[in-house]
Amino acid sequence: MFRSKIILSIIVLVVALAIIVGCAPTAQVGGESKTPIILGYVGNVSSPGTKPCMDIMQMAVEEINASGGVMGRPLKLLIEDSKGETSLSVAAVQRLVIGNNALAYYSEGRSEIALATKEKSADMYKDYPHIAITNGAADYEVTEGILEKYDRYKFFFRDFEFAQYPWYYGINLKMIRDTMKAKKLAILYEDLLWTRVYREGDARLGTPPMKKYAEENWGLQVVYEAPVKARAGMWLPTLESIAKAQADAIFVLSSWFTDVEVLTKQWADSSAKDSQLIMAGGIGQSHVFWGMTGGKSLGAVVMLWEDDVNEITPQMVPAVKKAMSRNIPIQFHVLAAYNDIYLMKKAIETAGGTGDVGKVINALETVNIEGVYGTFGYWGLKREPWFHSGVITNPDKVIEFNYPNSHCPYTQIQGSTSDKYILLQTQEGEMQKKWAHPELYKTPAQLRAEAGIK
């Protein structure tokens, strides 16, 4: 009997302790629980442009968690597959914010998707405060209205503003004229909203159409100009038209949406194969491009971020090498995605935690970090459409390359190995003198002859 009473007492004690522990608040650090801080990415998981962003964000999350997390709390990244479709992106945003209580989500930088998810987030914000960031070359339209309707759109940011203007209007056209000795130019614009300002120009920004600028400022004759589908699939008719126009060079305003690997393979077999192909963005920015094209990228010019010439900051090359060791192909917006996680960490710490999302938003308007390619943060400048856009160029001199970050490494592929990727042009000054070798440029015809390709 006595033994039974002891056992019963022990059971009662254990149950009581369990109830006490179960009812106790979660351990606190800096006034916040140790529950994970949820971040999300909404994008096409099969895209060669968005999948690397997801992977490098996960790499950053793991690094931060390994060093103690954010104010003692771990980060957790959730991935939502939008398949690149607007309606699925909107539904994914709702799942992240309402279903998973995400503090912030990042979306692939397609303007059309950003505009739709922005409105969905605005409708949810009052009941579910959160932050939305578009990661990529979205049109400035997505940040218009934030100042005018701050209470409705204050949560929305975009990683880029007008970085491409100095790249395309200055550095790129200089290389085409001076290094490639081209006189006749073809320009292909990815037919998405972000290229509108290049096709049409913008009086408010002081930017003329690219065709006009190429002709009036660089003396190039634009003999062919056309918008093209983001994933054309069949490029041969366009390439044959360019060949008939006798263009010396073809500049493609491409992004990760463009099937540049298909374009390049068809270029190498077309009548335009002697016209120098230059691509702005897409998977061509990685060494994996050679294999993707079966070597048909020989002679093509791309921006490349995976070589040591990109030693812009002390952490740039180590971060890129680590990403490559994890089979993450690097493109410029992929580097921005890596910065994104570290910037959010600093914003949360500056705000004193995640308890007040408005404070985190205010922090994002003011703080910056020394990211992998230099200072990274958003404009707090009370001027549309700059407000809440990534800081890269000077708002008063959009076309001039006047910001030290993002040196724009235009590189010619002269073979399969890293030493055969030749940097031709970056911004003027010490970087160009130290790393670039425009004298090593060879025409596609020369490279094919050396390789024994007819």
Side-chain angles (χ1 to χ4, degrees), residues 136-152:
D139 184 76
Y140 71 70
E141 183 178 334
V142 304
T143 47
E144 282 191 310
I146 293 177
L147 271 175
E148 182 183 351
K149 297 180 179 179
Y150 185 76
D151 286 342
R152 179 167 174 80

Side-chain angles (χ1 to χ4, degrees), residues 307-364:
D307 280 353
D308 290 353
V309 298
N310 296 296
E311 198 173 19
I312 305 172
T313 67
Q315 62 267 44
M316 174 80 166
V317 172
V320 168
K321 289 188 181 301
K322 182 177 179 180
M324 291 173 66
S325 73
R326 296 170 65 137
N327 297 315
I328 302 174
I330 296 299
Q331 300 160 60
F332 187 64
H333 65 284
V334 178
L335 295 173
Y338 182 76
N339 285 341
D340 273 327
I341 302 298
Y342 279 94
L343 181 64
M344 185 60 68
K345 174 181 183 291
K346 185 169 182 180
I348 294 169
E349 292 168 343
T350 302
T354 62
D356 186 338
V357 174
K359 288 184 178 180
V360 182
I361 290 171
N362 292 154
L364 284 171

Side-chain angles (χ1 to χ4, degrees), residues 8-38:
L8 181 60
S9 298
I10 291 173
I11 292 172
V12 170
L13 179 61
V14 169
V15 171
L17 286 172
I19 292 172
I20 291 169
V21 171
C23 294
T26 307
Q28 302 283 308
V29 176
E32 295 212 354
S33 71
K34 287 187 178 180
T35 55
I37 298 170
I38 305 298

Side-chain angles (χ1 to χ4, degrees), residues 119-156:
E119 292 303 323
K120 183 62 180 179
S121 279
D123 292 338
M124 293 189 294
Y125 184 85
K126 182 179 178 181
D127 295 321
Y128 301 93
H130 64 282
I131 296 162
I133 298 170
T134 181
N135 164 241
D139 184 76
Y140 71 70
E141 183 178 334
V142 304
T143 47
E144 282 191 310
I146 293 177
L147 271 175
E148 182 183 351
K149 297 180 179 179
Y150 185 76
D151 286 342
R152 179 167 174 80
Y153 297 125
K154 61 186 176 183
F155 61 85
F156 190 86

Side-chain angles (χ1 to χ4, degrees), residues 34-41 54 57-65 69-70 73-80 96 99-106 341 344 348 354:
K34 287 187 178 180
T35 55
I37 298 170
I38 305 298
L39 305 177
Y41 194 102
M54 301 169 189
M57 280 186 164
Q58 183 59 41
M59 186 176 100
V61 164
E62 291 171 8
E63 291 172 351
I64 290 170
N65 288 345
V70 182
R73 297 174 63 189
L75 294 174
K76 183 177 181 180
L77 181 67
L78 300 179
I79 302 299
E80 285 279 355
L96 283 170
N100 291 285
N101 196 31
L103 169 68
Y105 70 84
Y106 302 85
I341 302 298
M344 185 60 68
I348 294 169
T354 62

Side-chain angles (χ1 to χ4, degrees), residues 71-128:
M71 300 179 68
R73 297 174 63 189
L75 294 174
K76 183 177 181 180
L77 181 67
L78 300 179
I79 302 299
E80 285 279 355
D81 185 7
S82 69
K83 303 187 186 304
E85 296 180 15
T86 301
S87 61
L88 294 180
S89 298
V90 171
V93 163
Q94 184 169 327
R95 285 194 298 273
L96 283 170
V97 174
I98 298 178
N100 291 285
N101 196 31
L103 169 68
Y105 70 84
Y106 302 85
S107 61
E108 60 181 281
R110 184 181 294 186
S111 308
E112 293 79 356
I113 288 175
L115 288 168
T117 55
K118 176 183 174 183
E119 292 303 323
K120 183 62 180 179
S121 279
D123 292 338
M124 293 189 294
Y125 184 85
K126 182 179 178 181
D127 295 321
Y128 301 93

